Amino acid sequence: MASLGFKQVIKRYGVGPAAVQVIHGVDAQIHDGEFIVMVGPSGCGKSTLLRMVAGLEDITGGEITIGERTVNGIEPAKRDIAMVFQNYALYPHMSVFDNMAYGLRIRRLPEAEVRARVEAAAKTLELSALLQRRPSQLSGGQRQRVAMGRAIVRQPQVFLFDEPLSNLDAKLRAQTRLEIQKLHRTLGITSLFVTHDQVEAMTLAQRMMVMNGGRMEQFATPEEVYRRP
Ligand code: ADP
Ligand code: ADP
């Protein structure tokens, strides 16, 4: 676990006269183990911020920190983050175990360590009995849990969620939301979760980052954000 800090973070896309600034100095300190939901209209810079934390975009100005460490310039694989995407496709020809193990094996972790991590994640996600199944033999909810398992086995300090529920039907969305909530209670990993959905924000967020036009307009609890005057 680690804190996640934004210090005067700026992002420009492009160079020279064609450059466009899309993030205008975001400042926020997210505590160890905190669950933050980021909301804001389309194009306000949510994905850009997540991608800068993940190292998928350069940080034009300012600083992003994970724990004590500045991540500016550090390659994505060394940032101790895991990202859960909208369409985290599982490999259909691999077992649940192999799906979860894949990323670790690519990084050449010893097989005993791979097994230990996959089994621990499976236990947390109640997938232990399903490790030899193929994705096609799982329910939608179980598949979602395997997708989360692939992120957990990385043992990240920070979880980044880029609208992971938005393509699911209502039932599976609710189910997966509860699963994420439970996971956070169990593991307490610092989380930054982007969504458009007010129910998700209300139920998941300890605090919310409300973005607008590349600026952070509010950083407050859901009660404060949704309080009607
Ligand atoms: P959100 O996730 O809130 O919808 P984004 O971070 O995707 O917003 O986009 C923020 C702004 O940056 C938008 O104006 C978008 O058009 C622009 N943008 C995003 N990616 C690029 C890119 N690769 N090149 C140029 N502009 C981009
Ligand atoms: P995968 O199993 O998705 O192929 P790898 O461990 O092979 O993952 O990683 C390939 C690259 O993609 C690395 O730079 C890694 O940091 C990045 N990466 C893979 N999965 C994630 C994830 N869930 N979150 C963040 N980065 C990831």
Side-chain angles (χ1 to χ4, degrees), residues 179-193:
E179 203 63 50
I180 290 172
Q181 201 167 25
K182 201 171 98 191
L183 194 63
H184 184 253
R185 286 208 192 102
T186 310
L187 300 177
I189 296 174
T190 310
S191 300
L192 184 53
F193 183 104

Side-chain angles (χ1 to χ4, degrees), residues 13-14 20 22-23 40-49 57 163 194:
Y13 283 111
V20 187
V22 301
I23 301 289
S42 182
C44 71
K46 303 182 296 296
S47 295
T48 299
L49 275 178
E57 290 289 349
E163 302 195 45
V194 171

Side-chain angles (χ1 to χ4, degrees), residues 3-224:
S3 57
L4 171 62
F6 296 88
K7 291 184 191 137
Q8 281 300 308
V9 171
I10 285 170
K11 177 64 183 179
R12 273 190 295 275
Y13 283 111
V15 287
V20 187
Q21 186 161 335
V22 301
I23 301 289
H24 305 274
V26 166
D27 267 302
Q29 262 301 314
I30 296 168
H31 304 137
D32 245 23
E34 204 175 6
F35 201 110
I36 301 294
V37 172
M38 194 181 343
V39 298
S42 182
C44 71
K46 303 182 296 296
S47 295
T48 299
L49 275 178
L50 275 198
R51 292 170 60 80
M52 285 195 285
V53 177
L56 305 173
E57 290 289 349
D58 287 339
I59 301 163
T60 309
E63 192 185 17
I64 296 179
T65 53
I66 295 179
E68 300 293 297
R69 199 159 67 115
T70 298
V71 297
N72 296 47
I74 292 181
E75 64 177 282
K78 302 215 165 112
R79 290 189 181 198
D80 294 328
I81 59 100
M83 202 148 169
V84 180
F85 300 95
Q86 235 175 57
N87 299 305
Y88 206 133
L90 303 176
Y91 299 111
H93 58 288
M94 288 185 196
S95 67
V96 167
F97 185 101
D98 290 338
N99 265 283
M100 291 208 271
Y102 182 79
L104 302 179
R105 286 176 173 155
I106 281 192
R107 284 153 61 201
R108 301 187 189 288
L109 256 71
E111 190 60 23
E113 172 75 11
V114 171
R115 193 173 326 114
R117 288 195 191 192
V118 170
E119 282 170 1
K123 198 166 170 214
T124 304
L125 291 163
E126 293 173 49
L127 291 168
S128 303
L130 306 174
L131 284 172
Q132 296 317 317
R133 295 217 191 157
R134 299 290 160 101
S136 60
Q137 300 169 303
L138 301 176
S139 71
Q142 290 165 342
R143 269 181 231 162
Q144 288 295 310
R145 294 195 330 254
V146 177
M148 283 190 260
R150 293 181 61 180
I152 292 174
V153 294
R154 306 171 71 86
Q155 302 186 336
Q157 306 257 33
V158 173
F159 263 137
L160 303 172
F161 295 92
D162 196 359
E163 302 195 45
L165 311 183
S166 62
N167 282 350
L168 307 178
D169 65 44
K171 179 162 165 262
L172 190 50
R173 192 158 65 228
Q175 217 178 347
T176 308
R177 171 165 54 74
L178 290 173
E179 203 63 50
I180 290 172
Q181 201 167 25
K182 201 171 98 191
L183 194 63
H184 184 253
R185 286 208 192 102
T186 310
L187 300 177
I189 296 174
T190 310
S191 300
L192 184 53
F193 183 104
V194 171
T195 185
H196 282 103
D197 186 289
Q198 185 168 338
V199 175
E200 287 171 26
M202 296 284 287
T203 51
L204 291 170
Q206 290 171 320
R207 285 191 292 169
M208 296 177 63
M209 293 174 74
V210 181
M211 296 292 299
N212 198 0
R215 296 174 205 280
M216 190 176 70
E217 288 196 329
Q218 279 189 89
F219 189 32
T221 64
E223 292 72 23
E224 290 169 306

